[in-house]
Amino acid sequence: MRGRRFTDTTDFISIDYGDEILIGGKRYIVKGFARESRFGIEDPKFWVKRAVDAETGELKIIKLTFLESYETSIGGVKIKCFRNPQKEGKILEIVRNHPSFMQGETYLDSKGNFVRVLDVVRGPTFFNYIDRFKMKYEDFFQQVLPGILKKILQAAEAIRFLHINGFKHGDIRNDHIIVNSADGAYVWIDFDYDYEATENPFGLDIFGLGNVLIYAIGKGFHNIQMIANDKRIYGDLIDRAELEDFSILFKRRFINLRKLYPSIPKMLNDILMHFSQGAHVYYEIVDELIEDLNRCLYSAFD
Amino acid sequence: MKNSMLIAMNDSLSARAAVDFVANLAICPEEMDITLLHVFRKPSAGEELMGEKFMKEQPARYLKAMEKARDKLVGKGCNPKTVRIKLVEDPYPTVAEGIIDQFNKGDYSMVVIGRKRMSKAEEFVRGDVSVKLVRALQGAAVLVVTTK
């Protein structure tokens, strides 16, 4: 049986497998919806459809308007978050052909909903990419990490580009970077989140970048439970760890990685410590982080 | 030279504490120029989308708080002709940027601001106007009144 045709996508939950979305003068056949996998749990995103262009057969991601808003607590600080499709549409316009961002077009459907038709970026998320390196830490540090840091630097430059244009990414996480299989570039996806304005408007984006760095340099995250329970890997670290060694917002995340891996240069570790409970000075703009990382790459690795 | 004071405020407890502190200073209040200032921070696009009604109500709310503050200062001996209210409705990217801009446009020698107690996490996420003022303002005294 042929699917239904939708020009109004307001009731996005009812748009199902085999249905067609007519938008931007094209016909897209829905093949399913996206899921986000976090901590082993699959989270369905019914407003994000996987679809093929009926004319070309090309796979697309179609994001429909979902005006979600909620209050979240980050490190005990409550902050209002919003899903803002219009903002994602504006960013898509300014990042056209930028290799560090997902690409796509935004259209209005018959009811004025913002519909984003996105190209699929093929490759693993940064979260899964790092997890694939099964070598010893010293080998990872010597052979792989310098290349990864150079790519993170480019990704941070891309975020700087957003900030100087007045936009936040809004949801910087390890699984919102795709390592593009075609050229290895780190590509930012999912920038429809926004949060309430504060005196530190780019603070959470910068914190997100800090987490990407901590994840990369640590070859994964290390939390207090892991350190306390796995003496084989962490040795006596639990006895040496102090409150100041943990993340300012994710209180159980260990970020003074030099205590775990002494080969990490102090200069590089100091960047991470800007995100620790012991920090007295924070990065206010992404340029400051870029400058420190750049200096570190040239003096500690070359 | 006559000193001129800019008191940055909203309707919070810490702003009231800053006004109280100035009102109780053992100085010659009748000779002081005081401007009570409120600036708006530009809301994020998401906030605009969600809280249009809330946004429209804000100017009246802050004006009321500033009028109360002026009455308090006048009650403590300040000259009503030299205590001014300034509500800048054109929003700035951050409150700190707004205060700095208004300071630079006027002829002020001191900025007074209240600061509520914050955890490190809160300071990281929300930022701190007073720290930014201390860092950015040149040739000015910055008085930060902290609340318990």
Side-chain angles (χ1 to χ4, degrees), chain A:
Chain A
M1 194 183 82
R2 200 177 153 157
R4 297 161 299 168
R5 288 189 161 181
F6 287 86
T7 55
D8 169 8
T9 61
T10 308
D11 183 14
F12 56 77
I13 289 179
S14 74
I15 303 174
D16 211 344
Y17 184 88
D19 289 340
E20 293 177 3
I21 298 171
L22 308 182
I23 196 84
K26 290 201 163 196
R27 194 160 57 89
Y28 297 95
I29 305 162
V30 174
K31 295 294 178 188
F33 53 84
R35 293 169 192 274
E36 201 159 64
S37 183
R38 295 204 87 194
F39 312 115
I41 299 164
E42 291 260 297
D43 190 13
K45 295 165 87 176
F46 295 111
W47 67 97
V48 184
K49 309 292 182 188
R50 300 178 70 83
V52 291
D53 183 325
E55 199 179 323
T56 65
E58 192 184 356
L59 186 63
K60 295 280 183 183
I61 301 289
I62 301 187
K63 285 177 92 172
L64 307 174
T65 288
F66 175 35
L67 295 176
E68 181 188 25
S69 76
Y70 62 93
E71 194 174 73
T72 188
S73 176
I74 308 167
V77 183
K78 288 194 171 133
I79 193 151
K80 287 188 199 105
C81 294
F82 319 93
R83 205 175 273 285
N84 185 348
Q86 197 173 359
K87 173 203 152 206
E88 188 164 68
K90 284 179 184 166
I91 293 179
L92 284 171
E93 273 175 38
I94 66 161
V95 301
R96 199 172 303 284
N97 298 323
H98 195 305
S100 298
F101 293 96
M102 69 177 185
Q103 298 291 307
E105 301 289 339
T106 306
Y107 303 99
L108 287 175
D109 74 4
S110 61
K111 285 284 163 45
N113 296 303
F114 287 92
V115 178
R116 288 136 288 157
V117 180
L118 306 168
D119 298 341
V120 174
V121 186
R122 294 185 195 280
T125 65
F126 187 70
F127 182 84
N128 290 332
Y129 176 72
I130 293 293
D131 199 40
R132 287 178 182 182
F133 293 103
K134 300 298 179 196
M135 58 195 24
K136 276 196 257 172
Y137 186 80
E138 289 312 312
D139 295 337
F140 171 80
F141 180 81
Q142 295 290 341
Q143 297 161 22
V144 185
L145 187 62
I148 290 173
L149 292 179
K150 280 178 191 160
K151 295 269 178 66
I152 291 178
L153 193 62
Q154 287 169 4
E157 287 280 5
I159 294 301
R160 178 176 175 269
F161 176 77
L162 288 190
H163 291 180
I164 57 180
N165 280 286
F167 292 101
K168 303 170 223 168
H169 179 287
D171 199 11
I172 291 187
R173 305 186 331 204
N174 286 312
D175 57 349
H176 284 168
I177 298 175
I178 304 290
V179 181
N180 195 334
S181 304
D183 57 7
Y186 292 2
V187 181
W188 292 108
I189 61 166
D190 282 5
F191 22 83
D192 57 341
Y193 257 123
D194 201 358
Y195 42 85
E196 66 176 283
T198 67
E199 279 303 292
N200 195 12
F202 303 117
L204 288 180
D205 269 8
I206 295 170
F207 181 72
L209 282 172
N211 275 327
V212 170
L213 272 175
I214 291 160
Y215 184 69
I217 296 167
K219 195 168 166 285
F221 287 131
H222 307 273
N223 63 43
I224 182 92
Q225 288 87 351
M226 294 159 77
I227 294 167
N229 296 327
D230 196 339
K231 297 273 184 222
R232 193 178 53 86
I233 293 178
Y234 297 101
D236 68 344
L237 183 59
I238 190 69
D239 303 321
R240 293 182 289 117
E242 294 166 279
L243 202 61
E244 288 75 17
D245 299 333
F246 290 83
S247 165
I248 192 167
L249 297 185
F250 298 146
K251 314 278 186 198
R252 290 162 185 269
R253 184 170 292 166
F254 184 80
I255 65 171
N256 191 357
L257 295 174
R258 198 161 187 252
K259 277 193 176 175
L260 174 61
Y261 301 123
S263 53
I264 295 172
K266 183 175 181 305
M267 203 180 205
L268 185 59
N269 201 60
D270 283 349
I271 297 177
L272 309 185
M273 294 306 283
H274 280 78
F275 303 97
S276 74
Q277 291 181 47
H280 295 287
V281 179
Y282 314 119
Y283 292 122
E284 281 187 15
I285 51 172
V286 75
D287 306 53
E288 296 165 341
L289 187 150
I290 288 171
E291 194 184 323
D292 282 359
L293 187 56
N294 231 331
R295 193 178 301 132
C296 198
L297 271 171
Y298 285 103
S299 57
F301 286 97
D302 273 356

Side-chain angles (χ1 to χ4, degrees), chain A residues 78 197 199-200 277 279 284, chain B residues 47 95-96 120 124 126 132:
Chain A
K78 288 194 171 133
E199 279 303 292
N200 195 12
Q277 291 181 47
E284 281 187 15
Chain B
E47 272 174 286
V95 169
K120 274 196 168 189
F124 185 97
R126 298 199 173 280
K132 291 186 178 179

Side-chain angles (χ1 to χ4, degrees), chain B residues 3-22:
Chain B
N3 282 336
S4 181
M5 194 184 283
L6 181 69
I7 305 180
M9 62 170 299
N10 53 21
D11 62 349
S12 67
L13 273 176
S14 52
R16 282 208 293 277
V19 173
D20 286 347
F21 185 87
V22 172

Side-chain angles (χ1 to χ4, degrees), chain B residues 48-66:
Chain B
E48 268 176 332
L49 220 64
M50 300 293 167
E52 214 172 308
K53 183 172 173 279
F54 176 80
M55 296 299 181
K56 279 183 185 160
E57 289 166 355
Q58 298 313 299
R61 181 180 147 195
Y62 294 121
L63 197 61
K64 201 172 154 192
M66 287 198 288

